[in-house]
Amino acid sequence: MDVLNIGPVTLYDYHPVRQDFLRDVVEGLSATPPRISSKYFYDETGSALFEQITKVPEYYLTRTELSILREHLPEMAAALGPRCVVVEPGSGSGMKTRLLLSHLVDPVAYVPVEISREYLIASALALAEEFPELEVLPVCDDYFGPWLVPEPRRPQERNVVFFPGSTIGNMQPDEARGLLASLARRCGQRCGMLIGVDLKKDPAIIAAAYNDSAGVTRAFNLNLVERLNRELGAGIPAGAFEHATNYNELLGRNESFLVATRPLTIGLGGSSFHYEAGARIMVENSYKFSLEEFAALAADAGLRVVLVWMDERQLFSVQYLTPI
Ligand code: AVJ
């Protein structure tokens, strides 16, 4: 690990190995059923499309979470207490981070943990400028990697993990448990976690959120095909894949796929993959939880749900967890 001062921020660089898009895609497409990790949605185009998704009427998640934060942040800040270090895995939800930091009492430091060094430094510098009293200690690592919480200049009362956006829902339940447990271990016995968790509800509401009528989600999913062409030279003809999503009630998750519209063969790094019309590549799961289910998952990770805030319709929740 290297420590590097960059203007007002101190970077803790764990030199994560660069994500290997080609290797991961070849591995995923060779698996049964074939899949590509949803983390590959977020190149520049994909991130801009996700921003647009958060504004379509059907995608209730971001808007609802923001309204919960706006309404209940004073109570959340009281629960977290003064002199927190805020640790954010996969930094950069920007507005939510600013909302939280501006309500906390005398926060000691902000620690974004992010694999993209360039993005990490740019967003850390912007935040440091807005919060001149706050120590900003960006950590460059995969948040599943070996990083530790850097020691702030002033002693903290507790480390608080901020994980909004229902990102936890993109993981398989065992991965989610593992991540919560490892975050708790790194942050110590006095830690807290403020987590955005999307809730089970009328399946039609969920299905619509992942298939908006303006077609932004479709463009978001199909951008992955364009990435395969742009970055890996996959040579997939336009229209060869369509997007499809469905809410799987049995598994409590929304599923997104790329569906072949006709037979095709893709060559990638010496391997070739054949698809019949209708064949599906799994590209995203978005798990939804009942309050009981999430409490059980947290308990398996050694955490207790202490407080839950929800909107009036109980579409979404922000939950405060502490070690058992
Ligand atoms: C940002 C991962 C929470 O699963 O709801 C939105 C991503 N995918 N529309 C989600 C997403 C399609 C989103 N998360």
Side-chain angles (χ1 to χ4, degrees), residues 38 41-42 50 53 59 61 165-170 198 209-210 217 220-221 256 284-288:
S38 61
F41 279 137
Y42 301 93
F50 177 68
I53 287 176
Y59 194 75
L61 288 81
S166 191
T167 306
I168 193 87
N170 277 165
D198 196 18
Y210 293 92
T217 308
F220 176 73
N221 288 352
S256 297
E284 186 176 50
N285 291 320
S286 301
Y287 280 87
K288 311 301 168 191

Side-chain angles (χ1 to χ4, degrees), residues 22-53:
L22 174 62
R23 190 204 56 199
D24 285 354
V25 168
V26 167
E27 198 177 289
L29 294 185
S30 307
T32 320
R35 57 186 142 245
I36 299 174
S37 166
S38 61
K39 72 183 180 194
Y40 289 115
F41 279 137
Y42 301 93
D43 66 345
E44 219 169 292
T45 309
S47 300
L49 285 165
F50 177 68
E51 274 302 306
Q52 281 192 50
I53 287 176

